[in-house]
Amino acid sequence: MTQPKGLIDSHCHLNSVVYDKDRAGLITQAREAGVAQIWDVGIDIESSRKSIEISKSSSGMVKSFVGIDPEVFIPGSPLFIGNDIENSWFEQQFKILDDLINQNHTLIVGIG
């Protein structure tokens, strides 16, 4: 991967629904402000997929950091899935994540 020259925003959530209206405009503004690359962080399978799609359409400006937020495992967390989820669900999520990574590795800068 070619190293970008300039500032890197190493943690953002462009994949959030709040940016759906003008995501492209935000990316353009960042580029014009001197940002060379944006690392968009996924917190679950859905947001990681969306991040990859944003990366594909950003001409190299956006790279994905994919993963599953550890809070899905913590009771009381707003992201906690629940006690009734079996280990097979977690295994399935990690398998899906692994497939995403293998199919899109050139767009991904990190896994968490």
Side-chain angles (χ1 to χ4, degrees), residues 3-108:
Q3 295 296 326
K5 293 184 169 78
L7 298 173
I8 297 174
D9 180 343
S10 64
H11 189 121
C12 72
H13 296 277
L14 283 175
N15 56 64
S16 173
V17 66
V18 299
Y19 301 115
D20 283 351
K21 283 188 175 184
D22 194 26
R23 186 175 292 109
L26 290 171
I27 294 169
T28 298
Q29 285 179 333
R31 182 179 284 122
E32 289 171 354
V35 175
Q37 199 169 79
I38 299 169
W39 294 1
D40 185 43
V41 179
I43 63 167
D44 56 19
I45 299 300
E46 182 181 334
S47 60
S48 293
R49 278 188 178 132
K50 190 170 181 180
S51 178
I52 289 168
E53 291 307 311
I54 294 166
S55 295
K56 286 178 180 177
S57 65
S58 74
S59 302
M61 179 71 172
V62 178
K63 295 290 185 175
S64 297
F65 199 108
V66 298
I68 301 171
D69 193 302
E71 287 191 46
V72 301
F73 305 104
I74 302 172
S77 160
L79 298 177
F80 181 60
I81 300 303
N83 290 326
D84 58 344
I85 301 298
E86 296 179 20
N87 286 338
S88 62
W89 181 88
F90 293 107
E91 290 171 9
Q92 178 187 25
Q93 295 300 293
F94 287 114
K95 170 70 172 108
I96 293 168
L97 184 62
D98 187 50
D99 290 345
L100 275 174
I101 293 163
N102 288 327
Q103 294 168 11
N104 301 284
H105 61 89
T106 60
L107 303 169
I108 296 171

